[in-house]
Amino acid sequence: MKHETLWQPTPRGRWIHEVERKVCCWVFALLGAGCVIADEEVCVLGESNGEPALTLESSPPPLDPADRIVSQEVREYLESRRQQRGVVATTVTKWGHVYDWIDINSQVPGGDVGTPPPIDAPSDASTADCAPMAVRSELEEDPEAMGPPGTVPVLWVDPDLIHAPGTVADFLSRYGIEGELPSYWMDVPPPVAPDGHGHYYAKAGLKKVAGGAGYYGGEGYFNVWNPFSMVPSEQSTVEVALAYKKDSSNVPDETVEAGWHVNGGLNGDFTTRFFVYYTTTRYAQQGDFRGGYNLNQAGWVQVSRTITPGVMLTPTSVLGGKQVEMYLRVELHQGKWWVRVKDEFVGYYPASMFTQDGLGTESMSVSFYGETNDDLTIPGMTENDMGSGQFPTVEGWRRQVAFMRNLQYQWSPDGDRTKFYTDRVGPTKKECYDIIANFSFAPNDPWQSQIYFGGPGRSAGCQ
């Protein structure tokens, strides 16, 4: 879908963005008709060609000027990190996003960058009638923005564009507030929100049993959308997480997380972007080798030249039409937590950052989920979409509802994997966001292990 929408304020200070399009296109899809908003046809279904065409994303507007607030502490931190990177070249994509290119060997002492695992074919037997297209990064779509050979990209977001009014620790934290913890990790179903944090999940998780073996990776095809999210202190996320905790609390001590999200405060706009995140301190501390997003602190080692944390993903799925997905894998290989997107390993976190009785050797859980967070300082329930913004109960769910398919987990350090299955599936509050799983493994279903999840947030049943 295009981003040239009607922009009108709502009671929460948000903007009418794609919500009208989604409602309209869904209703008209059931009638086999088109959907017109402001004299612009945006969704045509029921024709002989089957579905609306996909176009590359256009850049949505930046944050509202009133939301572009950055503290001097955060500004100085980001500018100092940029100066220390040893930038070889800087390029700008046709979407206006800036990338600094650094020597790949400058990231680790002695230039000893790790060797990725072998590229194997992921599990996928989809036929032409149910095979979504693979998402691309903006660097793949804009070869002229590539840097010199031997360099890798690091996204640079101008501090004047972001929402970071607090400390550096706030900015680097998972939710923009130092000390803010996930509402739950291991509990399914999770406790009902709000719980003082305002996090909502639709999650399927596999947990190590006492005395049992751990896990070494997780993978699958992740449906990619551009969900409605117009408050910079909130976000909409879809991810896989490997975690380890050492006591009876419900918050893990260490995590490696990867996926896609819309996070206006971090990125300065509401595009869909690839991200990675880690913590070694139970989310309590941020900074070099302690935790944070992307390359905003030391830890992540970048290897790919075309996909990097923070890169914009394009195109995104069309409601009722062509679906777009991202194959994503996280795996422990030769002492490094590697992250793969499509047919390329993007980079890794050294396992040595973590404890040897934790993610230094294995994970105790593998989780696939969608997440939103509600800024509780703003009156009313969040209007953030999760996934497509549709509940996993509408007709034509594979074109209406966000999915993850062909999910697998790695059960041995040698790379052996098997189909993901769990009875630990549930949402925080099904009236706001919901999830259903299909682990029947029907022989005629190429998607095998699959989950469907999402919702619109605030509605008559979700206040």
Side-chain angles (χ1 to χ4, degrees), residues 75-92 98-102 154-159 295:
R75 180 188 299 279
E76 291 176 356
Y77 173 82
L78 293 174
E79 292 175 347
S80 175
R81 285 197 62 81
R82 190 184 197 194
Q83 293 171 2
Q84 295 170 14
R85 284 194 178 115
V87 176
V88 175
T90 298
T91 62
V92 182
V98 178
Y99 289 88
D100 291 333
W101 296 80
I102 63 173
V154 178
L155 176 68
W156 167 250
V157 180
D158 188 333
L295 287 98

Side-chain angles (χ1 to χ4, degrees), residues 208-229:
K208 173 183 176 179
V209 298
Y215 307 107
Y216 303 88
E219 66 181 86
Y221 291 84
F222 291 41
N223 196 198
V224 180
W225 294 84
N226 182 229
F228 176 87
S229 180

Side-chain angles (χ1 to χ4, degrees), residues 31-42:
L31 301 176
C35 168
V36 178
I37 296 178
D39 299 323
E40 178 190 7
E41 189 175 78
V42 297

Side-chain angles (χ1 to χ4, degrees), residues 15 105 117 135 157 174 192 212 248 258 265 291 321 332 336 345 366-367 408 435 445-446:
W15 301 92
N105 296 315
V135 76
V157 180
R174 182 68 164 78
V192 175
S248 59
L332 182 61
K336 299 170 179 64
F345 281 96
V366 183
S367 301
Q408 295 196 104
I435 180 171
D445 186 353

